[in-house]
């Protein structure tokens, strides 16, 4: 897994098996010529699957660790210039049946807007959630949900991929179906400041 800005290339290696010490994962900051700018980012909690996903924006690096705390998950925020740990982002204080699992599986960051999803590894048979945070403070802001007519599959696979830029959040749902048995897929668009729905793009058969 890697992500890139004009200054840095962030590379990660997140082990998936929780049975060995290698599951801690690593994150390195590398410039475009291939030279490491800093030592590897330290794993602040020896987190399982640290580095499962990463995002970088405006001097911040966010790192997902969905295997932490029996797969409840966390997101850690670091300073891009120094690699210093600055913030631990917790799963949201909202009622979710069965609790949050694999928080930090996917993340996206634009300025202080941090978007986090959980548990999208099985997008056709697993309900998942998408949450928005203030990356500077770590405060939970709101949850995003599918909207519009024809949401036959609820939140199955909602947040399989996410992106935030230019004041807008895009959330994919490959399992979206307008009618039973038609997995057309969809991308939902939201206002990043408020979470208000903007539009949705539905696949065609």
């Amino acid at each position: 897994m890697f992500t890139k800005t004009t200054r840095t290339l962030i590379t990660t290696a997140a082990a998936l098996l929780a049975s060995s010490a290698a599951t801690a994962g690593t994150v390195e900051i590398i410039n475009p010529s291939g030279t490491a700018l800093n030592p590897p980012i330290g794993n602040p909690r020896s987190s399982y699957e640290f580095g499962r996903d990463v995002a970088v924006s405006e001097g911040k690096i966010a790192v997902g660790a969905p295997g932490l705390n029996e797969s409840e998950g966390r997101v850690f925020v670091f300073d891009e210039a120094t690699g210093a740990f600055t913030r631990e982002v917790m799963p949201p204080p909202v009622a979710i049946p069965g609790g949050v699992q694999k928080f930090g599986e996917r993340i996206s960051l634009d300025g202080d807007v941090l978007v986090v999803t959980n548990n999208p590894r099985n997008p056709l048979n697993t309900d998942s959630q998408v949450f928005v945070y203030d990356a500077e403070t770590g405060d939970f802001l709101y949850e995003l949900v599918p909207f519009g007519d024809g949401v036959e599959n609820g939140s199955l696979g909602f947040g399989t991929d996410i992106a935030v830029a230019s004041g807008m959040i895009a959330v994919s749902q490959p399992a979206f179906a307008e009618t039973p048995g038609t997995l057309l897929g969809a991308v939902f668009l939201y206002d990043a400041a408020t979470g208000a729905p903007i539009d949705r793009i539905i696949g065609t058969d």
Side-chain angles (χ1 to χ4, degrees), residues 167-188:
M168 185 179 299
I169 299 171
V171 180
S172 74
Q173 186 183 18
F176 174 84
E178 284 192 294
T179 59
T182 59
L183 297 181
L184 298 178
V187 174
F188 295 83

Side-chain angles (χ1 to χ4, degrees), residues 141-158:
L141 300 178
Y142 51 83
E143 180 179 356
L144 299 174
V145 297
F147 60 85
D149 296 333
V151 184
E152 294 292 336
N153 285 340
S155 61
L156 287 179
F158 184 68

Side-chain angles (χ1 to χ4, degrees), residues 49-141:
E49 301 183 75
F50 179 77
R52 176 71 178 177
D53 202 6
V54 293
V56 57
S57 178
E58 297 184 11
K60 298 182 184 68
I61 298 172
V63 180
L68 180 64
N69 195 25
E70 298 183 351
S71 293
E72 181 183 58
R74 294 290 190 277
V75 173
F76 299 102
V77 181
F78 300 84
D79 183 275
E80 182 185 359
T82 65
F85 168 63
T86 60
R87 183 75 56 192
E88 179 175 346
V89 180
M90 306 287 289
V94 295
I96 299 172
V100 174
Q101 293 291 310
K102 297 292 184 181
F103 178 79
E105 182 74 18
R106 292 285 184 273
I107 56 179
S108 187
L109 180 65
D110 185 34
D112 288 336
V113 180
L114 173 64
V115 186
V116 183
T117 189
N118 71 303
N119 207 18
R121 295 186 189 179
N122 300 297
L124 298 184
N125 59 14
T126 305
D127 285 327
S128 53
Q129 292 86 29
V130 178
F131 310 107
V132 181
Y133 287 79
D134 185 315
E136 182 66 28
T137 64
D139 292 340
F140 170 67
L141 300 178

